[in-house]
Amino acid sequence: MSSTNSTASMDAFVPELGLSPAAVAIPLLSLFTIFLDIPAFIWHIKNRNLPAGSLIFWILVSNLMNLVNALLWPNDNIPTWFSGTILCDIEVKLDLAATLAVVGSVLCITRALARALDTSKPAISTTGQQRFRRNLLDCALCFGLPLYIIIIHYVVQPSRYYLFAISGCTPSVDDSWPSIALIFIWPPLLCLPSAYYALLTIHRLRKYRRDFAAILASSTSGLTRSRFLRLFAVAFIVVAVVLPVQSYILYTNAMVPQLPYSWAAVHDPAAWNEIVMVPTAGAVAFDRWIRIALGVVVFACFGTGKEATRMYKAWLRALGLARLFPSLHRTSPLPSHSRRRRSSGRDTLKDKAASLFSSTFSRSSQSSSTLSPRDPATSFPRVVDPHPAPTSPASSISHPPDRRAEKPDLAAMRPGARDRAPPPVQAREDPWSWYYRLPRRGAAQVPRHDEERADLVAGGRRCT
């Protein structure tokens, strides 16, 4: 049956041929948001970040529909409207899919961020089976749920679509209880676990704020501190906006008097091809502004980082603008460690390790410098030789001090030298031990020390 326009009840309506402020602002802001979010989308796709790429992709699709609808139906002049055949048939499906896909993508992001800070189940690396399960879950939430809503919408679709001025193509849904159970309940239902993971992430950030960088470095997420905070900011804002909005939509549709569901009544061929056109006198559905706001949030979090800046410079150099702006060839120098720590309060793991080593070395140097270099016993415990070497009378003569002994022990000044045990001291063999092993002869005295032997010689006794 040919499509008919239900404009019979609007004969007294006087169309406004002029453009309202919303009809001008919506397409301009949507186009501006699309250009801002494209670099962030390309960067996440190159890094194979499926949830973040999916989130930006569906926001781009929503703003693209904003732009097209506002340009095709800018005012209330219904007789001049395009019927939207085929175009609106596709848009109404993408409209429902985008709402559910944004919520599913945020759920994947918040879940991954909460698991990155989970210290109860540390993992050095992920197995192939774990990566397969994670990717399968991400694909199901980012693209499986949108595909479900596209298919299941036909069950409660009484007509092709509605056409509103400026807002454009709008899905039609039957006023019955299956519409609540199959369509409207899913976005707020998926926002609840996203809110739980977001609050859990905040709790773990407060709990491990001192070891935050070390935990991220030891996890398998591959996230830096900056990327983690940017992802969390986007996910938290989306949850904070989408959860109350979708809860309100669910409440308003549940308060509408519900009709008994009938497949034959919903899919009546006589009413199926009817296209309802509605003038709005310059008003726009509030969700059109939310799409633009989410696009701005994405740019603020992803389009202002170092990666995006390098991408912008590469694109400008490819366009040949480096001849006009030589600064595009320059790379901004990294700030000093102290300046970066003072300005942003963020230390990398490498900087923390360097500062820890330097402080340890300075403490070890100070403690070793207070020791007397002339007394080696202060560095290591004194070991008494159980068998001292024999001394000669010449050893009692005083000799000038050996200047080499006054040099400090550099090995003892190294960090951690005091914690190491001193090298073992081997006892020297008594030079008279060969004489002690000789057999005894009568009453002959066996000298056991040099002093005893000297006394025997001085007394005229002969040692044999």
Side-chain angles (χ1 to χ4, degrees):
M1 180 179 295
S2 61
S3 61
T4 60
N5 299 337
S6 61
T7 60
S9 61
M10 303 178 185
D11 295 337
F13 179 77
V14 179
E16 297 181 0
L17 301 180
L19 296 177
S20 63
V24 178
I26 289 290
L28 290 179
L29 294 178
S30 298
L31 181 62
F32 183 67
T33 304
I34 290 173
F35 280 115
L36 291 181
D37 292 346
I38 286 178
F41 173 71
I42 295 176
W43 186 85
H44 282 286
I45 292 300
K46 287 184 177 180
N47 287 272
R48 299 180 180 180
N49 192 344
L50 179 61
S54 172
L55 174 64
I56 302 175
F57 169 76
W58 289 108
I59 291 177
L60 287 172
V61 170
S62 300
N63 282 282
L64 181 61
M65 292 190 294
N66 265 7
L67 173 64
V68 173
N69 293 340
L71 293 178
L72 292 178
W73 300 281
N75 51 35
D76 295 335
N77 192 3
I78 295 179
T80 62
W81 278 8
F82 168 55
S83 62
T85 307
I86 300 178
L87 174 64
C88 284
D89 292 327
I90 298 174
E91 277 197 19
V92 294
K93 301 296 183 181
L94 293 178
D95 191 355
L96 294 172
T99 302
L100 201 57
V102 167
V103 178
S105 301
V106 171
L107 177 57
C108 294
I109 293 174
T110 53
R111 179 176 177 270
L113 296 180
R115 291 173 63 90
L117 296 181
D118 187 8
T119 58
S120 61
K121 298 178 181 179
I124 300 178
S125 61
T126 56
T127 62
Q129 187 177 7
Q130 292 174 342
R131 289 193 297 269
F132 175 77
R133 291 178 180 178
R134 181 188 59 193
N135 294 334
L136 183 62
L137 180 60
D138 292 345
C139 291
L141 292 176
C142 297
F143 299 102
L145 287 178
L147 182 61
Y148 155 80
I149 207 72
I150 289 174
I151 297 173
I152 208 68
H153 176 232
Y154 180 75
V155 177
V156 292
Q157 186 178 5
S159 61
R160 295 178 68 176
Y161 48 83
Y162 301 123
L163 269 180
F164 288 84
I166 305 176
S167 297
C169 310
T170 305
S172 61
V173 181
D174 185 49
D175 295 332
S176 58
W177 66 266
S179 301
I180 305 296
L182 300 178
I183 303 295
F184 297 109
I185 198 174
W186 286 105
L189 191 63
L190 290 176
C191 281
L192 293 178
S194 300
Y196 164 75
Y197 282 123
L199 295 178
L200 181 61
T201 303
I202 294 176
H203 169 70
R204 289 176 176 173
L205 281 174
R206 291 175 56 86
K207 184 178 180 180
Y208 306 117
R209 58 184 180 275
R210 296 183 178 179
D211 302 325
F212 175 53
I215 293 175
L216 284 182
S218 61
S219 66
T220 59
S221 61
L223 295 174
T224 61
R225 179 169 182 162
S226 176
R227 295 178 187 175
F228 183 96
L229 295 178
R230 293 173 188 271
L231 282 172
F232 178 73
V234 171
F236 184 80
I237 293 175
V238 172
V239 172
V241 172
V242 174
L243 179 57
V245 169
Q246 292 299 325
S247 301
Y248 171 75
I249 294 175
L250 175 63
Y251 172 77
T252 54
N253 285 275
M255 291 297 102
V256 174
Q258 303 296 317
L259 303 175
Y261 178 77
S262 174
W263 179 275
V266 172
H267 300 90
D268 184 10
W272 172 256
N273 289 325
E274 183 180 5
I275 300 173
V276 181
M277 297 184 179
V278 183
T280 60
V284 183
F286 67 91
D287 62 330
R288 269 51 178 178
W289 298 106
I290 294 178
R291 297 173 181 179
I292 298 175
L294 292 181
V296 173
V297 169
V298 166
F299 170 74
C301 294
F302 295 144
T304 57
K306 297 180 181 178
E307 299 85 0
T309 304
R310 286 194 293 266
M311 185 180 296
Y312 300 150
K313 290 184 177 181
W315 288 358
L316 294 177
R317 288 194 298 266
L319 294 176
L321 297 180
R323 299 178 180 178
L324 301 177
F325 304 98
S327 60
L328 295 177
H329 292 291
R330 303 172 186 172
T331 57
S332 57
L334 293 176
S336 62
H337 173 68
S338 59
R339 185 186 308 168
R340 181 170 64 252
R341 180 175 55 189
R342 183 168 57 252
S343 60
S344 61
R346 296 174 295 180
D347 292 340
T348 60
L349 184 60
K350 180 180 178 180
D351 298 334
K352 288 185 177 181
S355 61
L356 180 62
F357 176 78
S358 60
S359 62
T360 305
F361 181 79
S362 62
R363 287 195 302 266
S364 301
S365 301
Q366 293 175 1
S367 61
S368 59
S369 61
T370 58
L371 301 179
S372 175
R374 301 175 181 271
D375 189 7
T378 57
S379 299
F380 297 103
R382 185 175 183 179
V383 179
V384 180
D385 191 357
H387 302 285
T391 58
S392 59
S395 61
S396 59
I397 303 175
S398 60
H399 296 278
D402 189 2
R403 297 297 179 182
R404 293 177 297 177
E406 297 182 3
K407 295 183 179 181
D409 189 1
L410 298 180
M413 298 176 61
R414 295 177 181 175
R418 295 177 59 87
D419 299 334
R420 293 193 297 265
V425 179
Q426 297 181 358
R428 289 172 292 182
E429 186 178 2
D430 190 353
W432 292 95
S433 60
W434 61 273
Y435 191 77
Y436 299 155
R437 291 192 292 270
L438 294 176
R440 302 294 181 90
R441 298 182 180 179
Q445 297 289 337
V446 180
R448 297 188 177 273
H449 301 286
D450 290 349
E451 292 81 359
E452 185 178 356
R453 183 173 180 274
D455 294 338
L456 295 177
V457 171
R461 299 178 59 184
R462 182 179 181 182
C463 296
T464 57

Short mmCIF file of all heavy atoms in Angstrom, two decimals, residues 256-278:
data_model
loop_
_atom_site.label_atom_id
_atom_site.label_comp_id
_atom_site.label_asym_id
_atom_site.label_seq_id
_atom_site.Cartn_x
_atom_site.Cartn_y
_atom_site.Cartn_z
N VAL A 256 2.22 5.30 30.83
CA VAL A 256 1.22 5.37 29.77
C VAL A 256 0.29 4.16 29.88
O VAL A 256 0.75 3.04 30.12
CB VAL A 256 1.90 5.40 28.39
CG1 VAL A 256 0.87 5.33 27.27
CG2 VAL A 256 2.76 6.64 28.26
N PRO A 257 -1.02 4.36 29.75
CA PRO A 257 -1.94 3.20 29.80
C PRO A 257 -1.57 2.14 28.76
O PRO A 257 -1.48 2.44 27.56
CB PRO A 257 -3.30 3.83 29.52
CG PRO A 257 -3.16 5.26 29.93
CD PRO A 257 -1.74 5.63 29.63
N GLN A 258 -1.31 0.96 29.23
CA GLN A 258 -0.84 -0.11 28.37
C GLN A 258 -2.03 -0.83 27.72
O GLN A 258 -3.00 -1.19 28.38
CB GLN A 258 0.00 -1.11 29.16
CG GLN A 258 1.20 -0.48 29.86
CD GLN A 258 2.21 0.10 28.88
OE1 GLN A 258 2.52 -0.51 27.86
NE2 GLN A 258 2.69 1.29 29.19
N LEU A 259 -1.92 -1.00 26.40
CA LEU A 259 -2.93 -1.72 25.64
C LEU A 259 -2.58 -3.19 25.57
O LEU A 259 -1.41 -3.57 25.66
CB LEU A 259 -3.03 -1.14 24.23
CG LEU A 259 -3.33 0.36 24.12
CD1 LEU A 259 -3.27 0.80 22.65
CD2 LEU A 259 -4.67 0.67 24.72
N PRO A 260 -3.57 -4.06 25.44
CA PRO A 260 -3.27 -5.48 25.27
C PRO A 260 -2.54 -5.72 23.95
O PRO A 260 -2.88 -5.13 22.92
CB PRO A 260 -4.65 -6.14 25.28
CG PRO A 260 -5.60 -5.06 24.93
CD PRO A 260 -5.03 -3.80 25.48
N TYR A 261 -1.52 -6.55 24.02
CA TYR A 261 -0.70 -6.78 22.84
C TYR A 261 -1.38 -7.76 21.88
O TYR A 261 -1.94 -8.78 22.30
CB TYR A 261 0.68 -7.33 23.22
CG TYR A 261 1.55 -7.63 22.04
CD1 TYR A 261 2.20 -6.60 21.36
CD2 TYR A 261 1.72 -8.93 21.59
CE1 TYR A 261 3.01 -6.86 20.27
CE2 TYR A 261 2.53 -9.21 20.50
CZ TYR A 261 3.17 -8.17 19.84
OH TYR A 261 3.96 -8.44 18.76
N SER A 262 -1.32 -7.43 20.59
CA SER A 262 -1.87 -8.29 19.54
C SER A 262 -0.96 -8.18 18.32
O SER A 262 -0.73 -7.07 17.80
CB SER A 262 -3.30 -7.88 19.17
OG SER A 262 -3.75 -8.63 18.05
N TRP A 263 -0.44 -9.29 17.90
CA TRP A 263 0.44 -9.29 16.73
C TRP A 263 -0.29 -8.80 15.50
O TRP A 263 0.27 -8.02 14.71
CB TRP A 263 1.01 -10.68 16.51
CG TRP A 263 1.90 -10.79 15.32
CD1 TRP A 263 1.53 -11.00 14.02
CD2 TRP A 263 3.33 -10.68 15.29
NE1 TRP A 263 2.61 -11.04 13.19
CE2 TRP A 263 3.74 -10.85 13.95
CE3 TRP A 263 4.28 -10.47 16.28
CZ2 TRP A 263 5.07 -10.80 13.58
CZ3 TRP A 263 5.61 -10.44 15.90
CH2 TRP A 263 6.00 -10.60 14.56
N ALA A 264 -1.52 -9.21 15.31
CA ALA A 264 -2.28 -8.80 14.13
C ALA A 264 -2.57 -7.31 14.16
O ALA A 264 -2.52 -6.63 13.11
CB ALA A 264 -3.59 -9.59 14.06
N ALA A 265 -2.84 -6.76 15.35
CA ALA A 265 -3.13 -5.33 15.43
C ALA A 265 -1.87 -4.50 15.24
O ALA A 265 -1.91 -3.42 14.61
CB ALA A 265 -3.78 -5.00 16.77
N VAL A 266 -0.77 -4.96 15.75
CA VAL A 266 0.47 -4.20 15.62
C VAL A 266 0.97 -4.21 14.18
O VAL A 266 1.45 -3.19 13.66
CB VAL A 266 1.54 -4.75 16.58
CG1 VAL A 266 2.90 -4.11 16.31
CG2 VAL A 266 1.13 -4.52 18.02
N HIS A 267 0.85 -5.33 13.51
CA HIS A 267 1.37 -5.47 12.15
C HIS A 267 0.23 -5.46 11.13
O HIS A 267 0.22 -6.24 10.16
CB HIS A 267 2.19 -6.75 12.02
CG HIS A 267 3.37 -6.79 12.96
ND1 HIS A 267 3.28 -7.31 14.23
CD2 HIS A 267 4.65 -6.36 12.81
CE1 HIS A 267 4.46 -7.21 14.83
NE2 HIS A 267 5.31 -6.64 13.99
N ASP A 268 -0.72 -4.59 11.31
CA ASP A 268 -1.82 -4.45 10.37
C ASP A 268 -1.31 -3.85 9.07
O ASP A 268 -0.75 -2.74 9.07
CB ASP A 268 -2.90 -3.54 10.98
CG ASP A 268 -4.12 -3.44 10.10
OD1 ASP A 268 -4.23 -4.22 9.12
OD2 ASP A 268 -4.98 -2.58 10.38
N PRO A 269 -1.48 -4.51 7.95
CA PRO A 269 -0.96 -3.96 6.69
C PRO A 269 -1.58 -2.63 6.31
O PRO A 269 -0.94 -1.82 5.62
CB PRO A 269 -1.31 -5.04 5.66
CG PRO A 269 -1.47 -6.29 6.45
CD PRO A 269 -2.04 -5.86 7.78
N ALA A 270 -2.80 -2.36 6.78
CA ALA A 270 -3.45 -1.10 6.42
C ALA A 270 -2.78 0.09 7.10
O ALA A 270 -2.80 1.21 6.57
CB ALA A 270 -4.93 -1.15 6.80
N ALA A 271 -2.21 -0.10 8.27
CA ALA A 271 -1.58 1.01 9.01
C ALA A 271 -0.07 0.95 9.00
O ALA A 271 0.59 1.86 9.52
CB ALA A 271 -2.09 1.00 10.45
N TRP A 272 0.50 -0.09 8.44
CA TRP A 272 1.94 -0.25 8.52
C TRP A 272 2.69 0.83 7.74
O TRP A 272 3.68 1.38 8.22
CB TRP A 272 2.34 -1.64 8.00
CG TRP A 272 3.81 -1.82 7.86
CD1 TRP A 272 4.53 -1.80 6.72
CD2 TRP A 272 4.75 -1.99 8.92
NE1 TRP A 272 5.85 -1.97 6.99
CE2 TRP A 272 6.02 -2.09 8.35
CE3 TRP A 272 4.62 -2.07 10.31
CZ2 TRP A 272 7.16 -2.27 9.09
CZ3 TRP A 272 5.77 -2.25 11.05
CH2 TRP A 272 7.04 -2.35 10.45
N ASN A 273 2.23 1.17 6.54
CA ASN A 273 2.94 2.13 5.70
C ASN A 273 2.60 3.57 6.00
O ASN A 273 3.01 4.47 5.27
CB ASN A 273 2.64 1.84 4.22
CG ASN A 273 3.32 0.56 3.74
OD1 ASN A 273 4.42 0.23 4.18
ND2 ASN A 273 2.65 -0.17 2.86
N GLU A 274 1.88 3.83 7.06
CA GLU A 274 1.54 5.19 7.42
C GLU A 274 2.75 5.89 8.04
O GLU A 274 3.38 5.37 8.96
CB GLU A 274 0.36 5.21 8.40
CG GLU A 274 -0.09 6.61 8.76
CD GLU A 274 -1.26 6.60 9.72
OE1 GLU A 274 -1.64 5.50 10.16
OE2 GLU A 274 -1.78 7.68 10.02
N ILE A 275 3.03 7.08 7.54
CA ILE A 275 4.14 7.88 8.04
C ILE A 275 3.55 9.11 8.73
O ILE A 275 2.93 9.96 8.08
CB ILE A 275 5.09 8.31 6.91
CG1 ILE A 275 5.66 7.07 6.22
CG2 ILE A 275 6.23 9.17 7.45
CD1 ILE A 275 6.48 7.39 4.99
N VAL A 276 3.74 9.22 10.03
CA VAL A 276 3.18 10.31 10.82
C VAL A 276 4.17 11.46 10.83
O VAL A 276 5.30 11.32 11.28
CB VAL A 276 2.86 9.84 12.25
CG1 VAL A 276 2.25 10.97 13.04
CG2 VAL A 276 1.94 8.63 12.21
N MET A 277 3.72 12.65 10.33
CA MET A 277 4.56 13.84 10.29
C MET A 277 4.06 14.83 11.34
O MET A 277 2.87 15.17 11.36
CB MET A 277 4.53 14.47 8.90
CG MET A 277 5.11 13.57 7.82
SD MET A 277 5.16 14.39 6.20
CE MET A 277 5.90 13.09 5.21
N VAL A 278 4.99 15.29 12.20
CA VAL A 278 4.62 16.12 13.34
C VAL A 278 5.41 17.41 13.31
O VAL A 278 6.65 17.38 13.34
CB VAL A 278 4.87 15.38 14.66
CG1 VAL A 278 4.42 16.22 15.84
CG2 VAL A 278 4.19 14.02 14.66
#
